[in-house]
Amino acid sequence: MNFFSGLLNGFQEAWENKFRSLLSMMGIILGVASLVAMMGVAEGLIRDFRAIFERSGGIERVSIDQTKVPEWQKTRASISSKRTLRDLDAILDNVTLADYATAQFNANWKEMIYGNRKYWSQITGVTTDYQPVFNVEVADGRFIADIDVHEAQRVAVIGTNVLENMFPKDVSPVGLSFNIAGLPYRIVGVLKKQMYIRGGRNILDRLNQVVYIPVTAAQSQFGKLDEVHGIYLKANNVAYLSELVSQTENTLLATHRGIHDIEVKTREEDLIELKKNEAGFKYSIGSLAIISLIIGGIGITNVMLASINERIREIGVRKAVGARSSDVFLQFIAESISISLIGGVLGILFSFALVNVVMSIMPPNTVNIILTTEAFLLGFGASVFTGVVSGIYPAFKAAKLDPITALRYE
Amino acid sequence: MLILSKAVKEYKMGDSLVRALNGVDLEIRKGDFLAIVGSSGSGKSTLMHALGLMDTLTSGTLHVNEQETSKLNSAQRATLRSQEIGFVFQTFNLLPRLTIENNVLLPAQYSRRAHPAKLPDAIAVLERVGMAHRIGHKPNELSGGERQRVSIARALINKPSLILADEPTGNLDSQNMVNILKLFTDLNAEGQTIIIVTHDPDVAKNARNFIRMRDGQIIETDLKR
């Protein structure tokens, strides 16, 4: 008696007792379907988080934050300085482990005028490297160039919301001039529209609202010369992030005259937090599905016990013609697995229906459900595992039947 | 071929101990056709189960083809049973879900031989019992006599040394009884060793030898060889 013929027996048994088998499989079907569907929900959320993380520079992005002067350097606090373009120049000259480095000047919300149209937007002063560091994509024209920064040119790259609200439709605004807080700027580029719709809204819409101008132009128009509000680097190899941090810290200690008033921060902690959240999602979803599978397993055990009670004479005959207890055990485990396999396949099919129902009930773009091969394999594996576990007791009961007693059973 | 020596089998029934076999000595030789007769409770079924390695002895020994069986575990006994003994039951005991082909090949699944019996062997034994034309049928499509023929084919599939038949005609009409007994006689004539357990003297007459049992002992022996 091999395992394969046991499986065939199980399929035959399930087919001959369709209704009973279907009832016993319900738990497995629902368990597998909910496992696969919930994994899909988790996967959707995880991909959303990852997409946002990547679009904001990914793990390669390193930021320079301003910190308080430490207690032990308080006596020298008067020579502490803000982050400046000198820091950026030093980084560009000395930090070899970064491909790109950029500075950012936040001019906040300013009024813009084009003809008789007015619009408020967030004005951000940047350098050329801002584009690769933040993965900014330009749809029309170009991004801020080195010469724009060097000469503090009044040029601007606008987001699509600005375009849609201020400028004529169907005509490229590149080359047009408009006013930002009273000074004229020439449009050199339009950003690609950023879309990531969740819960009925574009969670990346703020990126369509921005206007980028050269950091130097922003400084001269809106702030103190030289001060910037952020410095960011893009690592050329994430394997050397800690070395990059050291290299940057050493460089900035020189420009800050030995004062520890800056902190170089990587996004590794964010990523660890992200991964923790992912694991948390999966475990909580998995535990819900396991409860369904346990109920499914009990159903299978019940049906297997009923089946064995109906087939006691068969077990006696099999033993009389030479079946060992282990053969009988294997046969009933295989039958249990075959029921759970059918349940697993039906559960996977049902998960598609479940996902469609959830998607149709929820408002558009509220949830992102991604059914993965991993979820299918997990669902299928869980059903087989349930089959094995739930078949052990009935199979053991069948295997230890005495052949003489079994043959006399009426 | 089978040597039973000082066989004792005791059961506990409630508080009392029942001795179903009480010092039975029996030798079965190749080619024997033996009927074990006796009334209900005489110990003939217990003897059959002991000879068929379905049950162990409380004391005494059983040699099957010179192999002492009392030391064998249940798995080893199952394999020896599969290879050396074919069972024919009063109620046929064919598995209703399986076709005749699969019923006949059932013992082959468990024979643990390098080359277990396959379809051509099943066809051959079914031809021998006159049932090859029903190979694709299910047991419930067959008459009682036909089912018993299939049951005999199943017993023959592993080419056992011995066929043990427990009241093989008990559920058959007189015509089918004659036919089945004729089949046993023919098989024995071809060299097959057969033991029939029966309470019916008319059935026992078909065997060449018989033993009569009472109270777990052989009380009459007629072993013409």
Side-chain angles (χ1 to χ4, degrees):
Chain A
M1 181 73 182
N2 59 33
F3 185 73
F4 183 66
S5 56
L7 279 181
L8 287 180
N9 263 337
F11 290 133
Q12 202 173 358
E13 186 75 7
W15 182 248
E16 284 174 9
N17 300 287
K18 295 178 204 65
F19 188 65
R20 190 178 74 180
S21 303
L22 187 67
L23 282 179
S24 70
M25 286 171 200
M26 283 311 285
I28 294 282
I29 294 171
L30 291 174
V32 169
S34 58
L35 178 67
V36 172
M38 299 284 252
M39 287 280 287
V41 172
E43 187 63 29
L45 286 170
I46 289 162
R47 289 204 190 174
D48 282 357
F49 288 143
R50 284 188 173 269
I52 292 165
F53 187 79
E54 287 305 320
R55 287 193 194 192
S56 58
I59 186 69
E60 297 94 342
R61 200 185 84 188
V62 174
S63 57
I64 316 296
D65 290 357
Q66 189 86 45
T67 59
K68 284 182 179 173
V69 178
E71 205 58 42
W72 60 276
Q73 285 191 317
K74 278 287 180 200
T75 53
R76 300 176 65 202
S78 60
I79 61 166
S80 167
S81 60
K82 304 284 186 189
R83 290 162 292 180
T84 66
L85 287 178
R86 279 199 314 283
D87 293 329
L88 178 65
D89 289 339
I91 287 168
L92 287 169
D93 288 344
N94 300 305
V95 180
T96 54
L97 291 170
D99 277 340
Y100 306 100
T102 185
Q104 177 179 316
F105 183 96
N106 301 326
N108 295 325
W109 294 81
K110 302 291 176 197
E111 189 186 48
M112 303 179 298
I113 300 171
Y114 176 72
N116 56 0
R117 293 192 188 184
K118 291 179 180 176
Y119 193 68
W120 285 75
S121 184
Q122 189 166 15
I123 312 298
T124 307
V126 298
T127 67
T128 311
D129 282 359
Y130 190 88
Q131 188 179 13
V133 171
F134 283 87
N135 300 329
V136 175
E137 292 175 272
V138 174
D140 186 14
R142 62 170 174 84
F143 196 68
I144 304 296
D146 283 337
I147 192 160
D148 301 328
V149 177
H150 186 67
E151 297 181 357
Q153 297 271 8
R154 286 208 284 272
V155 293
V157 178
I158 61 171
T160 50
N161 284 3
V162 180
L163 170 70
E164 286 160 14
N165 286 289
M166 284 186 72
F167 299 96
K169 284 187 177 119
D170 306 325
V171 181
S172 171
V174 174
L176 296 179
S177 288
F178 68 113
N179 273 9
I180 300 176
L183 289 179
Y185 279 79
R186 182 169 52 87
I187 298 171
V188 293
V190 180
L191 297 172
K192 189 177 165 188
K193 190 170 182 74
Q194 295 295 311
M195 289 267 281
Y196 213 85
I197 294 178
R198 291 291 165 261
R201 68 186 186 90
N202 182 3
I203 56 176
L204 295 180
D205 201 42
R206 64 179 181 82
L207 298 176
N208 300 319
Q209 197 74 26
V210 297
V211 172
Y212 294 125
I213 61 175
V215 66
T216 44
Q219 284 176 325
S220 68
Q221 187 177 356
F222 303 110
K224 295 170 191 166
L225 276 174
D226 217 22
E227 183 186 349
V228 293
H229 301 119
I231 295 175
Y232 303 94
L233 290 76
K234 185 166 189 171
N236 54 27
N237 188 341
V238 289
Y240 297 109
L241 274 179
S242 59
E243 289 83 350
L244 168 64
V245 169
S246 303
Q247 217 177 36
T248 310
E249 279 174 347
N250 292 337
T251 303
L252 293 180
L253 269 178
T255 56
H256 285 242
R257 291 183 282 182
I259 306 294
H260 291 261
D261 53 5
I262 50 99
E263 185 185 6
V264 182
K265 281 179 75 174
T266 67
R267 302 182 86 194
E268 280 174 310
E269 280 180 19
D270 296 347
L271 193 64
I272 288 167
E273 193 63 27
L274 186 68
K275 284 181 178 167
K276 265 190 204 165
N277 287 338
E278 285 179 17
F281 272 135
K282 286 186 175 170
Y283 285 135
S284 49
I285 283 163
S287 54
L288 281 175
I290 282 169
I291 292 169
S292 303
L293 287 170
I294 288 171
I295 295 166
I298 293 168
I300 291 183
T301 304
N302 212 10
V303 164
M304 290 302 296
L305 287 172
S307 169
I308 285 164
N309 271 341
E310 286 170 8
R311 293 160 64 193
I312 287 177
R313 276 182 84 91
E314 175 188 329
I315 295 164
V317 172
R318 286 184 184 271
K319 285 198 159 187
V321 301
R324 296 176 173 191
S325 295
S326 56
D327 293 321
V328 175
F329 182 83
L330 199 65
Q331 181 193 339
F332 282 95
I333 282 284
E335 288 194 20
S336 175
I337 291 174
S338 62
I339 291 176
S340 63
L341 275 179
I342 300 171
V345 170
L346 292 177
I348 286 169
L349 295 176
F350 185 57
S351 69
F352 286 104
L354 197 64
V355 165
N356 280 331
V357 169
V358 171
M359 297 286 251
S360 63
I361 290 172
M362 302 295 279
N365 298 315
T366 313
V367 284
N368 182 24
I369 303 178
I370 298 166
L371 297 179
T372 59
T373 313
E374 183 197 4
F376 292 141
L377 291 176
L378 189 72
F380 206 64
S383 70
V384 173
F385 179 73
T386 308
V388 172
V389 172
S390 54
I392 286 175
Y393 173 66
F396 182 70
K397 201 177 167 200
K400 71 173 187 178
L401 274 174
D402 172 51
I404 298 169
T405 314
L407 281 169
R408 284 180 182 152
Y409 186 81
E410 295 293 337
Chain B
M1 198 185 76
L2 256 82
I3 301 170
L4 192 65
S5 178
K6 296 185 178 64
V8 172
K9 181 66 190 180
E10 290 173 340
Y11 296 105
K12 262 198 160 175
M13 200 171 273
D15 290 337
S16 57
L17 200 63
V18 176
R19 186 166 275 207
L21 290 182
N22 191 3
V24 173
D25 292 307
L26 181 65
E27 183 181 353
I28 314 288
R29 293 184 192 167
K30 185 167 168 42
D32 277 357
F33 187 1
L34 173 71
I36 302 174
V37 294
S39 55
S40 178
S42 61
K44 61 185 191 302
S45 290
T46 307
L47 178 60
M48 191 198 79
H49 291 142
L51 292 173
L53 298 166
M54 299 256 276
D55 208 353
T56 52
L57 296 171
T58 307
S59 66
T61 57
L62 170 67
H63 285 80
V64 176
N65 289 337
E66 296 173 2
Q67 185 174 4
E68 215 283 280
T69 61
S70 63
K71 300 278 192 304
L72 300 180
N73 62 31
S74 69
Q76 290 167 323
R77 281 208 312 278
T79 303
L80 192 60
R81 183 162 69 238
S82 161
Q83 293 174 352
E84 300 295 346
I85 295 156
F87 282 95
V88 178
F89 304 99
Q90 180 179 353
T91 51
F92 325 127
N93 282 332
L94 299 175
L95 303 189
R97 287 182 300 116
L98 303 186
T99 59
I100 299 312
E101 173 196 336
N102 289 330
N103 264 291
V104 169
L105 284 171
L106 189 67
Q109 286 185 19
Y110 305 114
S111 69
R112 289 182 162 76
R113 285 187 169 140
H115 303 288
K118 293 228 163 24
L119 178 60
D121 306 294
I123 293 170
V125 289
L126 281 167
E127 273 174 356
R128 179 63 196 86
V129 300
M131 289 299 296
H133 61 294
R134 308 300 293 270
I135 193 163
H137 289 249
K138 294 264 181 92
N140 62 3
E141 297 163 346
L142 271 53
S143 70
E146 287 177 320
R147 288 184 206 184
Q148 196 58 299
R149 285 174 178 275
V150 172
S151 168
I152 293 168
R154 180 179 66 187
L156 290 168
I157 191 71
N158 281 344
K159 298 185 173 66
S161 307
L162 169 70
I163 284 186
L164 269 175
D166 184 11
E167 303 281 7
T169 56
N171 273 15
L172 300 179
D173 59 37
S174 55
Q175 186 54 52
N176 272 314
M177 182 177 92
V178 170
N179 292 342
I180 290 296
L181 289 172
K182 168 88 170 49
L183 182 56
F184 278 129
T185 308
D186 291 347
L187 286 169
N188 177 249
E190 290 163 19
Q192 179 67 55
T193 312
I194 298 169
I195 297 177
I196 291 181
V197 176
T198 181
H199 67 281
D200 185 344
D202 289 340
V203 173
K205 275 181 205 161
N206 286 271
R208 277 191 286 119
N209 320 304
F210 82 91
I211 57 170
R212 188 180 301 282
M213 296 197 68
R214 187 194 293 159
D215 297 332
Q217 291 180 312
I218 297 173
I219 56 161
E220 188 183 349
T221 305
D222 176 10
L223 297 174
K224 301 184 283 284
R225 287 180 171 128

